[in-house]
Amino acid sequence: MMLFNVKISGMSCASCASSIESETQKILGVSSASVNFATESAKFEISSNEVQTLIENKVKELGYSFTLEMETEKKERDGITLFWISFTLSILLFMLEMGPLKKVVSLKTNYYLQFLFALPIWLWIGAKFQISFLNFLRSGRSNMNTLIGLGTSAAFLYSTLITFLTEQTISWGLTQKVYFEAVGFIISFVLLGNYFEEKAKRKSKDALNSLLKLSSKSALVLRDGDFRDIDINEVVVGDTVRVLPGGKFPVDGEVLKGSSAVDESMLSGESLPVVKKAGEKVFGGTINGDSAIEFIAKKIGSDTFLSHIVEFVENAQNNKPEIQRYADRISSIFTPIVLVFSILTLVLWLFFGVSNIWGNAISNFIAVLVIACPCALGLATPTAVVVATGRASLKGQLIGGGEVLEKACNINAIVFDKTGTLTEGRPQILDYSLVTTDDNLEILRDVASIEKLSEHPLAKAVINFALDKGLKLIEPDFFEIHKGMGIEADISSSTYVIGNKKLLEKFEINVVEEENTIIGSYIYIAKNKEYVGKIIVGDKIKSSAKEMIRNLRDRGIETWLITGDNEVVGNAVRDELGIDHIIANALPLEKAGMIEKIQEKKFKVAMVGDGINDAPALAKADLSIAMGTGTDIAISTSDVTIVKGDIEKVISFLDLSEGTMKIIKQNLFLSLIYNTLLIPIAAGVLVIFDGPMMPPILASVAMGLSSISVVSNSLRIRNLI
């Protein structure tokens, strides 16, 4: 199976998306279809490339089309132009029907002029509504445009009968009133509502668009001995690329020459620049600081980290939470129900109306059709998901869609891996202490210089510790490894023995033990047969971990630490952070079983791990959160990826999830209460209580405002994190 993503234009409500989904899933070779009305995008899982053509043909048959982003922006510009034309003609219609032009000409001529002004609005500007109505008559499939098409067609055709068949309509008992101005204003206000809706929907996708804009269009690449400015698409893996101060890194790579502070905030959400030097990774879309850097291209095009993020966010915005599927099911049956209710309204007014029977029946029939459009209901969930996932991506959180946000609200237990999750994940010097009066920096220099020749994983921590203190390393005169114990070496006219306690005992050197509560690996140092001190190397706990655990406890979420380390190390971390439960000495494959045991206690479990060796446990958990570092991010395997491994962003993700689901429920309430209250009013129920009727024009304004209110409410999510 392969994924096929495409933009689709012409959708007017969630019913359109549901129709495309149900019809394309019937095509042989399509295993799944997901269509998002808010983002105007679709994702199909298909068996071969040939199926793409079948899908496109089916989409066209349904009255929609594949499109490009630039075409969407053009459609938005054309929409506002059509609105102004329609609105201008509608003003003329209003002036002829109710304004100063009403008595300038005879009534017959007045009706003829109204017909001429209304015809282009109904037939040309409102063509999509009339086409949708004709498609409904042919296939029985309906959507929001069907309701507008039926309403405006009923008004236009009724008014046309009154205009051209006056004598006959009088004999039939029809009310001698035309509704051309209603046709004009309904289509005008629907177009205006569509324009603001499109603008708001595009604003909800600003986060994703800003990611897309991060990529550079060109690169300064070494070709034939000179650096040349070439198109980004011409860069190949292995090219030497130069980035000038303030310039963007065009692709991912590894620094060859130079050192500079690089702004990676657009990818990680971290505000502080990261210093990059030879051998370190750089990513496309990030911004260089004050110094030029040369790097070798490692990943280009769709393989870059930025491209992976964009792809992840796009896919996430197409994933539907269960609450959206519920709204879609309502929308899919809502339109046919409204059609029945509008016809019932027409019939009841014809039989029980007391005055101006035909006029009131037609007016209320149109008002019900217009005001009942389920557009707001269709936008309630997807716009919120688009804003939430887009905003999160700019804050260094990659969220796998609305379903993930929904799951996060039910979590009441979180399991943490230790190394790389709660700790920094790399050996660091926790303590360096001497029991001698010798120069401690000189001894540190000698030890680091000796460790430079060692392959032990802790050696790098000692070397970096010395370099950070500005020490210049030298070459030993003699060097010998004692396997499993340490090193013996001659340097600076002194003999050093460096390693564990067994090595010093082998050389009959007495180690002076001091009480120490620091958990880590101890490197003992002897100089000229005398013990001089020790270095403790360990994995530092992240500075934000303690506050994060406290926040989870305040929320009533139980915390677990499952680690492969021994109980001494595990208990030390638990005690320092205040974690509720600990399981030590756990192998990666055993962690999944432990997650299952916690779930058996009726917990909804989130697992926070590094996304690689914790993969089985992440897969078993109800919600998986991977702590990402650079290109090692397991984007495709986790529900959420925290870029740069910032543990405190677990809290902001939970805040975002809770806030987003709250706003989705508000949106659904707004849209459902809107239809529940206004449809009876549009049908004329207030007349029973000597109240007014709702004109079709006012119904069109109310319908547009409902959609705008839902989208505007969704945009508040940007303030949650």
Side-chain angles (χ1 to χ4, degrees):
M1 287 291 173
M2 55 187 291
L3 287 178
F4 170 45
N5 296 289
V6 69
K7 292 280 185 182
I8 296 180
S9 65
M11 293 188 291
S12 58
C13 63
S15 295
C16 302
S18 297
S19 178
I20 296 171
E21 283 182 356
S22 61
E23 292 298 317
T24 52
Q25 280 180 331
K26 297 174 184 177
I27 298 172
L28 187 65
V30 177
S31 63
S32 69
S34 177
V35 182
N36 192 315
F37 165 53
T39 59
E40 295 184 324
S41 59
K43 179 176 67 176
F44 302 96
E45 194 172 350
I46 59 177
S47 58
S48 64
N49 288 323
E50 288 73 21
V51 180
Q52 293 185 21
T53 305
L54 298 177
I55 293 173
E56 185 170 8
N57 291 338
K58 175 58 70 174
V59 169
K60 286 181 180 177
E61 181 186 321
L62 293 171
Y64 313 103
S65 60
F66 289 0
T67 186
L68 301 172
E69 194 70 38
M70 64 183 73
E71 291 174 354
T72 304
E73 293 178 10
K74 182 179 182 297
K75 182 184 72 173
E76 190 178 305
R77 291 194 302 271
D78 291 345
I80 195 64
T81 302
L82 289 175
F83 160 74
W84 283 115
I85 296 172
S86 177
F87 186 70
T88 302
L89 292 172
S90 299
I91 292 293
L92 291 173
L93 288 168
F94 177 79
M95 293 174 71
L96 285 166
E97 178 62 21
M98 304 177 189
L101 300 180
K102 183 174 183 178
K103 296 184 178 179
V104 172
V105 293
S106 66
L107 184 63
K108 196 73 174 173
T109 305
N110 184 305
Y111 283 2
Y112 286 152
L113 288 172
Q114 286 194 53
F115 172 80
L116 290 174
F117 289 141
L119 182 63
I121 300 176
W122 177 72
L123 197 60
W124 169 51
I125 297 174
K128 67 177 182 179
F129 305 119
Q130 317 318 326
I131 291 170
S132 180
F133 175 48
L134 292 174
N135 286 337
F136 166 70
L137 295 177
R138 189 180 72 250
S139 65
R141 285 188 291 267
S142 59
N143 56 39
M144 181 195 110
N145 286 346
T146 305
L147 301 181
I148 303 299
L150 178 56
T152 54
S153 292
F156 183 84
L157 294 175
Y158 180 89
S159 301
T160 301
L161 280 175
I162 299 298
T163 301
F164 292 99
L165 299 174
T166 307
E167 299 298 326
Q168 290 92 324
T169 53
I170 291 174
S171 66
W172 296 340
L174 300 185
T175 303
Q176 296 301 296
K177 175 176 172 55
V178 295
Y179 296 92
F180 289 123
E181 92 287 351
V183 174
F185 279 115
I186 287 171
I187 290 177
S188 296
F189 286 128
V190 170
L191 288 176
L192 183 62
N194 287 347
Y195 169 74
F196 284 117
E197 187 181 297
E198 288 293 329
K199 198 169 183 179
K201 279 159 61 179
R202 189 153 57 86
K203 197 170 186 180
S204 73
K205 294 185 285 184
D206 277 351
L208 180 58
N209 292 333
S210 65
L211 283 175
L212 292 168
K213 290 175 184 176
L214 287 178
S215 57
S216 180
K217 300 291 186 260
S218 61
L220 203 59
V221 178
L222 183 64
R223 294 285 168 85
D224 300 324
D226 293 319
F227 281 97
R228 299 178 184 176
D229 198 17
I230 65 173
D231 189 272
I232 187 68
N233 296 316
E234 296 178 26
V235 178
V236 297
V237 174
D239 273 341
T240 298
V241 184
R242 176 181 289 170
V243 182
L244 299 176
K248 283 183 182 178
F249 286 86
V251 295
D252 295 0
E254 187 176 298
V255 177
L256 291 174
K257 188 166 69 174
S259 176
S260 183
V262 177
D263 181 3
E264 294 185 338
S265 60
M266 61 289 298
L267 297 183
S268 66
E270 297 296 332
S271 57
L272 292 176
V274 180
V275 176
K276 300 287 184 176
K277 49 186 181 290
E280 297 191 334
K281 293 181 177 68
V282 289
F283 305 104
T286 56
I287 300 173
N288 190 21
D290 296 331
S291 304
I293 275 185
E294 291 180 15
F295 71 96
I296 184 169
K298 294 286 189 179
K299 292 184 179 180
I300 61 173
S302 60
D303 291 331
T304 64
F305 182 48
L306 176 60
S307 296
H308 282 309
I309 290 179
V310 171
E311 181 185 4
F312 183 90
V313 175
E314 284 180 330
N315 289 335
Q317 292 178 351
N318 278 328
N319 290 339
K320 296 182 180 180
E322 186 58 38
I323 197 169
Q324 183 179 341
R325 295 188 183 99
Y326 168 73
D328 287 351
R329 284 194 293 271
I330 294 176
S331 296
S332 64
I333 62 172
F334 193 78
T335 303
I337 291 173
V338 168
L339 288 171
V340 172
F341 190 79
S342 61
I343 293 171
L344 182 64
T345 300
L346 177 68
V347 172
L348 288 174
W349 272 95
L350 289 175
F351 279 93
F352 298 104
V354 292
S355 64
N356 190 21
I357 295 174
W358 272 98
N360 289 339
I362 289 293
S363 178
N364 291 332
F365 170 72
I366 297 167
V368 169
L369 288 170
V370 171
I371 206 164
C373 293
C375 193
L377 185 62
L379 289 168
T381 300
T383 52
V385 171
V386 167
V387 175
T389 53
R391 178 66 175 172
S393 69
L394 293 180
K395 294 294 183 179
Q397 303 168 36
L398 304 182
I399 301 173
E403 190 175 355
V404 174
L405 295 166
E406 194 171 30
K407 286 194 296 184
C409 295
N410 300 319
I411 295 299
N412 55 8
I414 298 184
V415 173
F416 293 94
D417 175 46
K418 182 182 75 72
T419 305
T421 302
L422 295 174
T423 66
E424 298 291 349
R426 59 182 184 272
Q428 297 180 64
I429 304 301
L430 304 180
D431 185 55
Y432 169 54
S433 57
L434 297 180
V435 294
T436 177
T437 57
D438 289 357
D439 187 344
N440 67 342
L441 287 180
E442 182 181 317
I443 291 177
L444 177 61
R445 179 203 64 193
D446 291 346
V447 170
S449 299
I450 294 167
E451 292 285 6
K452 191 171 64 170
L453 300 179
S454 171
E455 295 180 354
H456 195 281
L458 301 183
K460 191 172 182 180
V462 177
I463 296 166
N464 289 336
F465 183 67
L467 292 175
D468 288 344
K469 292 187 175 296
L471 301 177
K472 188 175 181 180
L473 305 188
I474 56 180
E475 291 296 322
D477 300 314
F478 165 77
F479 179 90
E480 183 181 351
I481 294 176
H482 294 262
K483 195 168 183 180
M485 291 189 287
I487 304 167
E488 176 189 3
D490 291 340
I491 191 171
S492 303
S493 303
S494 298
T495 298
Y496 283 85
V497 175
I498 305 167
N500 58 26
K501 194 182 293 185
K502 285 183 180 179
L503 180 62
L504 271 67
E505 289 174 352
K506 179 182 176 181
F507 282 87
E508 298 179 349
I509 299 171
N510 184 38
V511 175
V512 181
E513 281 287 12
E514 298 173 348
E515 188 175 337
N516 204 319
T517 58
I518 299 174
I519 303 297
S521 298
Y522 283 59
I523 301 174
Y524 296 99
I525 307 166
K527 179 181 178 183
N528 297 327
K529 295 278 189 178
E530 287 187 9
Y531 172 72
V532 294
K534 63 181 178 293
I535 297 175
I536 305 175
V537 182
D539 198 1
K540 280 187 178 178
I541 291 176
K542 291 178 178 177
S543 57
S544 56
K546 192 168 186 176
E547 176 63 22
M548 183 267 301
I549 296 295
R550 186 198 62 77
N551 193 300
L552 293 176
R553 192 187 303 113
D554 291 344
R555 293 169 183 257
I557 296 175
E558 290 204 24
T559 53
W560 299 70
L561 173 63
I562 300 181
T563 178
D565 278 322
N566 59 55
E567 290 183 357
V568 174
V569 174
N571 286 329
V573 173
R574 181 196 62 182
D575 295 341
E576 183 170 345
L577 296 180
I579 294 173
D580 298 317
H581 311 279
I582 178 176
I583 300 174
N585 300 307
L587 297 174
L589 292 176
E590 295 174 340
K591 291 182 181 180
M594 294 168 183
I595 294 283
E596 195 169 2
K597 286 181 180 178
I598 299 172
Q599 290 169 328
E600 288 171 358
K601 298 177 182 177
K602 308 302 181 185
F603 283 106
K604 290 291 183 181
V605 181
M607 170 69 188
V608 186
D610 63 12
I612 300 169
N613 60 10
D614 289 319
L618 288 166
K620 174 57 69 175
D622 297 294
L623 178 73
S624 57
I625 303 175
M627 307 305 293
T629 52
T631 53
D632 294 329
I633 294 177
I635 290 178
S636 61
T637 60
S638 59
D639 294 321
V640 184
T641 300
I642 307 295
V643 180
K644 296 295 182 185
D646 188 351
I647 192 69
E648 67 183 346
K649 286 180 180 173
V650 170
I651 299 299
S652 63
F653 162 67
L654 293 175
D655 288 338
L656 179 67
S657 299
E658 291 172 4
T660 300
M661 293 311 298
K662 183 178 179 181
I663 284 175
I664 286 174
K665 289 172 183 175
Q666 290 172 357
N667 286 348
L668 290 173
F669 175 78
L670 286 171
S671 55
L672 288 172
I673 201 71
Y674 157 83
N675 282 316
T676 303
L677 293 178
L678 292 187
I679 288 178
I681 293 173
V685 73
L686 294 180
V687 173
I688 299 172
F689 308 100
D690 296 324
M693 292 193 299
M694 177 179 283
I697 296 171
L698 185 58
S700 67
V701 173
M703 187 269 288
L705 289 175
S706 70
S707 296
I708 293 170
S709 66
V710 163
V711 177
S712 300
N713 192 44
S714 294
L715 291 175
R716 294 195 302 116
I717 293 172
R718 295 181 299 179
N719 301 322
L720 293 178
I721 60 172

